[in-house]
Amino acid sequence: MAVSARLALASAALLAAARLAAAEPPAAEPEANAERALSFTISGGVSLGAYQAGFNYLAVEALKRNRDRLRLALITGASAGSGNGLITAIEYCQPEQPFPTRGLGWNVWLQVGYQRLFVEEEVTATNVFTRAPLEESMEFARAALQAGLLDGCEVVLGFSVTRLRPDEVQAQRNLQVPRQAKKFAVRIRGRGRGAWPRIDNYVDPYSNVGSAALPFIADPQTDADHDHNWHLLRDLVFASSSFPVAFRPVALRQCMTLPFNGHLSDANDRCVGNDTEELFVDGGVFDNNPLRYAYQLSNLGLRRAGQGKHGWRDLRQPVDNGAARAVDDVIYIYLDPDTRPYPEVTEEAERQHRRLVPLMTDLLADFIQSARAKELSAIVDENPELLRKARLTTNRYSTVSRHLGAFLGFFDREFRRFDFYLGMYDAYHEVATGTLAFDIARPALYDFGGLSAAQARDLPADWKPFACLRGWLDSDAPALRAACAGPALREFRILIQATLDRTYSDCRALDAASRDFSAWPHHCRLAARGEAPPLIDGVKEPDDRDHWRRDDESPFDHLMRSLEDYRFTFTDLGLRADQAKFGRVRIRRKFLKMLKWLADAQDNRADRLILLTAGRSVVNRIAYEPPRNWWYFVAGSYGEVGASVLPFDWNRSFARLNLALTAKGLTTVITEERFDTQLSLLAGPELQLLPITTRLVQPIVGARVGYQFGTADDFEIGRCDREEVDDVRSCSQLVVQAYGAVALLERLRIQLTAEFFPAPPGDFDDVRNIDLLLGIGYQFF
C-alpha cells in the first residue's frame, strides 16, 4: 500500500531536523546550567502501544536519574498514545523503578490480548472488542494515583479526540463550520505519597473562543471526589483511543468553556453546570500526531521560574512578560514506531494504477493516512521553528505488531513482549547517542556493555531480553548474547531471528555509499554490503532455510513464513512449535470470527451480506481458507443441493466432508410420457486445492458414494430389468461419484460430476454405467 507523499514529506522533514539538531551544538541557554524542559508526543499505534510503553519506560527512568537537569513537563498523545501518555506521566512522578515488568506500561499492555478483548456476547453493530480488559488494566494507573505522586511533580497532558458527530462553530453571522476534532488539556500535580494528586483542566480563561473541558471537581475532599475526577480522565483516554469498529464510541461528559468577554468567571476555564454527554471516537482520525498541540500548550503556559526551573503558570493570571517569559528551549520529542533511520523499500505500485479498483483503494488509503497526519503536515508547512526543536525517535529494527494494521500484537503475548523490549532498545540508543537532547551519561541501570558472558547469564530475568537484543543487534557487546540462553527466551530468540531476516531483506537493496549510511543500524549496514543474516544461537536452522523476502511476499507473509520455518510456538493461538505453519490460518480464523459476529449484529440483511462478502475478501489477504461450513445448490443437466462441512476443529481445513442430494430427470414430469426421475443421497471427502487457490477462484475436487432411488423400479419396490427400463442408469442402485468444482469469489459455483454405477441390477445386454453431469449454482455461508 502506498504511503501518502505528504505524510512521507512530513516524516522526512522531522527526521532531517532531528538529525540536524542532534549534530549541531545546543543553542545558548538563558541561564548557565539551566534545567531543560522536555515534551513527549506519542502517536497512535494500536498494539504498537507495547513498543511505546517499553520506549517510555527506559527513557523516563533515565530522566528520573537526572531530575536536576531535565524535566518532563508536557505529554500529548492520540489513540494508543493517549493511554501511554497518562502512563508515562504517572511513572515519571514516581520513584525510580529498576524492574521493567513492575512498571505501569508492562502491566497495562502485556495483559491486553485477543482472548480478553474479543467477547462474543459483547459484540455490537459498531464494535467487536470489549473495553473490560482495558478497564482492568487501567486500575493499575488508578492505584498508582491513589498511592500518590511525588510532591511537586507536575505534568500537563494533551489529548486528541474526535466527536462522533460534528458540532457547528459560528465563524460569522451566516457561516457555520462543522468541527469534529477536539483537544483536551489536563494538568496533574503530585502532592506526595499517600495523597491523591490534583487533576484539573488546563485551558486559557482569556481565550476569545471556548475550550474543551471536563467537569472535574475543583477541590476534591473525599475518595469519591477523587474517583469522579479519575473516571473522567480515564474516559478521556478511552475516548481518544476508541478505534472505530474495534471499540464502541465513548460517552464522555464535557463542556465548552465560555469565551472571555472582559469579565473573568469560573465558566471561562471550567464546566459550570453546562456539561453534556457526547460520543467520541479515536483522536487519531484527524490528528494522530499532536505535536503542534504540544507546541501550542507550551507557549500557552510553560515558563521558566527562578533558578532556571520550569513550571506551568496560573492561567488565570494575565501574562507578564517581565516576570515570566516564555520558554524558548523546550525540546519536543516525537515518538512514532513507524519511523526508520534508513529508506524503506516499497513495492512498485504504478502498474496497478492502470486498473480502477487498485487505484481507488490506494487513493482511499492515502487519504486516511493524510487525514491522520494533517497536523504533522501543517508543521512542515507553517512552523519551521518547531521543526528545528523536534526530535523524532527512530525504530531501528522492525516491530512485530506493526502488521495487519498494527493489530497483530494482540494475537500473541510474545509479540507484545518482544516489542516492549525493542522499544527499550530504541530508547537506549536515543539516550546514549544524545538524539533526545538528554545530554547525559548512560545510567548504570542498563549499561551492560562491559559485562562478561557469565555476568550476562546472571542478569535479572527482567533485563535478559534487553541484554539479548543488545548482544545480537549491536556490534559492541557480543558477550551479552549469553543472556539469550534458556527456554524462557526461546520465542524471543526466534522473533529476533525473524527481525534480522526482514532487515537484511530490506537493506540489501540499499546503496551502501549513501551519505546517511552511518546512521543505519549495524545489521542494515552489513546487509547493504552484501552479507547474509546470522543465525541466532539457540534457534534451529531449517533444512531449507530461505531467509530472503521473496518477490511475491508482503512483509507480513515474510514474517509468518519465518516464524513457521523456525517453529515459533503460538501459545495464545493454541499451537505447538510443530504446528507453526498453521499460525497464519489461526489468525485469519480469529479475524473471520470477529467479522461474522459483527455481521450478525447488523439489523439489515443487505448490510450483513455486504459486510461478510467485502470482509472475507480482506481477511483472505492473510491466508485463504475455505469457510468452515457452507451449503450450495447447482442446476443444469441435473440438480443438486449439498453442504461442505468441517465437523470438527482441524487445522487442515482443505480436507472436508461433502453431503449431497442430487436429482435427475425432473423434466420428465412434464416432457415425457413416462415419469423417469432419480434421487441420490451421497457423502464423501472433499478437497480444496489450496496451492492453486486465490481470493477470486477456489477449485474443489471430491469423491462420494451413495444410493440412487429411481422411479423406474418405484424406488426399489418393483423390479428393474430391460423389459421395462431402457437405461440401467435409471434404476435404484449404488452410485459412486467424482466431481470437480470451481467457486468464484466463494459464491458462484460451476460443477462437473462423473458418476459410476459399479453393480447395475437386472440383466442388461448393453450396460451403460457412466454419466456426466454439469451444473451452475450459488454457495451460501
Side-chain angles (χ1 to χ4, degrees), residues 489-508:
L489 292 182
R490 179 186 183 274
E491 271 54 58
F492 197 86
R493 293 192 297 269
I494 291 176
L495 290 173
I496 296 177
Q497 185 68 64
T499 297
L500 287 179
D501 288 355
R502 168 73 189 279
T503 300
Y504 276 78
S505 292
D506 284 351
C507 293
R508 66 172 175 167

Side-chain angles (χ1 to χ4, degrees), residues 656-673:
R656 317 170 61 76
L657 176 65
N658 180 270
L659 305 171
L661 170 65
T662 67
K664 298 181 297 182
L666 293 177
T667 58
T668 62
V669 176
I670 57 175
T671 61
E672 301 288 342
E673 295 181 2

Side-chain angles (χ1 to χ4, degrees), residues 411-448:
F411 291 98
D412 201 285
R413 187 176 186 273
E414 285 295 328
F415 294 166
R416 301 192 298 281
R417 178 170 78 147
F418 177 82
D419 285 345
F420 181 90
Y421 280 101
L422 190 64
M424 289 175 55
Y425 169 85
D426 281 337
Y428 162 80
H429 278 281
E430 302 289 14
V431 172
T433 59
T435 302
L436 299 185
F438 282 13
D439 191 27
I440 55 178
R442 289 175 288 181
L445 170 71
Y446 51 81
D447 185 9
F448 302 144

Side-chain angles (χ1 to χ4, degrees), residues 581-643:
K581 62 183 177 181
F582 300 121
R584 187 197 313 257
V585 171
R586 284 291 178 94
I587 291 172
R588 178 192 183 277
R589 289 182 185 178
K590 301 296 186 185
F591 273 106
L592 188 60
K593 186 175 183 180
M594 291 187 287
L595 174 65
K596 288 183 176 180
W597 276 89
L598 184 63
D600 289 343
Q602 308 305 311
D603 294 331
N604 185 279
R605 181 175 298 179
D607 290 347
R608 289 196 294 271
L609 179 61
I610 292 172
L611 189 58
L612 275 177
T613 303
R616 283 187 65 88
S617 180
V618 174
V619 170
N620 285 342
R621 292 176 179 267
I622 300 174
Y624 180 76
E625 184 184 39
R628 182 181 178 92
N629 303 304
W630 76 78
W631 69 274
Y632 63 90
F633 74 87
V634 294
S637 60
Y638 77 124
E640 177 175 324
V641 176

Side-chain angles (χ1 to χ4, degrees), residues 3 52 66 95 104 127 151 207 240 262 307 331 486 708 722 770:
V3 179
Q52 296 172 341
N66 294 269
L104 274 181
N127 70 281
D151 189 23
S207 172
S240 182
Q307 292 81 47
I331 297 301
Q708 173 180 286
R722 63 180 178 176
I770 298 177

Side-chain angles (χ1 to χ4, degrees), residues 566-777:
Y566 299 119
R567 298 165 66 88
F568 182 84
T569 303
F570 290 91
T571 303
D572 290 355
L573 296 177
L575 297 174
R576 303 185 306 270
D578 61 340
Q579 298 174 317
K581 62 183 177 181
F582 300 121
R584 187 197 313 257
V585 171
R586 284 291 178 94
I587 291 172
R588 178 192 183 277
R589 289 182 185 178
K590 301 296 186 185
F591 273 106
L592 188 60
K593 186 175 183 180
M594 291 187 287
L595 174 65
K596 288 183 176 180
W597 276 89
L598 184 63
D600 289 343
Q602 308 305 311
D603 294 331
N604 185 279
R605 181 175 298 179
D607 290 347
R608 289 196 294 271
L609 179 61
I610 292 172
L611 189 58
L612 275 177
T613 303
R616 283 187 65 88
S617 180
V618 174
V619 170
N620 285 342
R621 292 176 179 267
I622 300 174
Y624 180 76
E625 184 184 39
R628 182 181 178 92
N629 303 304
W630 76 78
W631 69 274
Y632 63 90
F633 74 87
V634 294
S637 60
Y638 77 124
E640 177 175 324
V641 176
S644 180
V645 299
L646 196 63
F648 43 82
D649 191 16
W650 195 26
N651 290 320
R652 295 172 176 82
S653 58
F654 63 90
R656 317 170 61 76
L657 176 65
N658 180 270
L659 305 171
L661 170 65
T662 67
K664 298 181 297 182
L666 293 177
T667 58
T668 62
V669 176
I670 57 175
T671 61
E672 301 288 342
E673 295 181 2
R674 186 170 181 275
F675 184 34
D676 186 14
T677 301
Q678 299 82 42
L679 298 176
S680 300
L681 291 172
L682 306 111
E686 179 175 271
L687 300 178
Q688 183 109 33
L689 303 181
L690 293 184
I692 58 174
T693 293
T694 69
R695 290 182 293 117
L696 300 178
V697 180
Q698 299 87 40
I700 303 165
V701 297
R704 55 199 181 192
V705 63
Y707 200 83
Q708 173 180 286
F709 298 91
T711 57
D713 54 5
D714 298 325
F715 299 116
E716 215 175 26
I717 296 176
R719 185 176 177 217
C720 187
D721 59 34
R722 63 180 178 176
E723 296 179 359
E724 298 186 12
V725 181
D726 295 333
D727 192 336
V728 69
R729 293 172 296 185
S730 299
C731 300
S732 299
Q733 58 188 304
L734 182 70
V735 60
V736 177
Q737 291 184 347
Y739 62 91
V742 174
L744 303 178
L745 288 174
E746 300 182 319
R747 296 295 184 178
L748 181 65
R749 183 183 181 100
I750 304 171
Q751 180 168 312
L752 178 65
T753 303
E755 62 179 5
F756 171 68
F757 302 95
D763 183 15
F764 290 86
D765 294 334
D766 181 17
V767 177
R768 291 170 294 174
N769 59 353
I770 298 177
D771 206 357
L772 288 177
L773 310 169
L774 177 65
I776 300 176

Side-chain angles (χ1 to χ4, degrees), residues 206-412:
Y206 293 96
S207 172
N208 293 325
V209 296
S211 302
L214 299 176
F216 289 125
I217 295 175
D219 187 20
Q221 300 295 321
T222 66
D223 281 344
D225 293 341
H226 289 294
D227 277 338
H228 169 86
N229 287 352
W230 157 248
H231 283 107
L232 286 172
L233 180 59
R234 185 202 65 176
D235 289 348
L236 177 59
V237 169
F238 287 160
S240 182
S241 56
S242 184
F243 195 86
V245 182
F247 297 103
R248 71 177 64 185
V250 173
L252 178 67
R253 297 211 66 83
Q254 54 90 47
C255 74
M256 292 298 295
T257 63
L258 295 181
F260 181 68
N261 61 359
H263 301 283
L264 192 63
S265 70
D266 286 344
N268 291 126
D269 60 358
R270 65 194 67 174
C271 300
V272 184
N274 62 337
D275 55 295
T276 59
E277 191 170 80
E278 303 286 349
L279 291 177
F280 289 89
V281 296
D282 196 328
V285 171
F286 289 109
D287 187 6
N288 198 47
N289 324 91
L291 181 59
R292 186 165 66 161
Y293 187 45
Y295 184 73
Q296 294 168 347
L297 285 173
S298 64
N299 277 341
L300 172 66
L302 190 58
R303 297 293 182 263
R304 186 187 295 277
Q307 292 81 47
K309 300 297 182 181
H310 294 83
W312 291 95
R313 71 180 181 90
D314 182 357
L315 294 179
R316 285 187 155 257
Q317 300 298 321
V319 176
D320 184 343
N321 290 328
R325 64 188 164 78
V327 174
D328 56 5
D329 64 337
V330 179
I331 297 301
Y332 299 90
I333 298 168
Y334 171 50
L335 173 58
D336 187 343
D338 290 328
T339 305
R340 298 295 187 82
Y342 58 87
E344 286 199 78
V345 178
T346 57
E347 298 179 9
E348 185 65 35
E350 284 75 6
R351 58 183 179 84
Q352 297 181 359
H353 291 168
R354 298 173 185 173
R355 304 188 347 249
L356 178 62
V357 173
L359 173 64
M360 297 306 296
T361 300
D362 284 351
L363 181 63
L364 177 61
D366 285 354
F367 171 78
I368 293 173
Q369 290 202 44
S370 294
R372 290 169 65 85
K374 71 180 184 68
E375 292 292 319
L376 186 61
S377 179
I379 293 172
V380 175
D381 294 337
E382 303 169 6
N383 204 325
E385 180 185 1
L386 174 56
L387 197 62
R388 286 186 58 82
K389 294 179 179 179
R391 299 291 186 271
L392 182 63
T393 67
T394 54
N395 172 216
R396 286 158 177 77
Y397 294 95
S398 180
T399 57
V400 176
S401 301
R402 67 182 301 196
H403 301 286
L404 302 183
F407 275 90
L408 182 60
F410 290 134
F411 291 98
D412 201 285

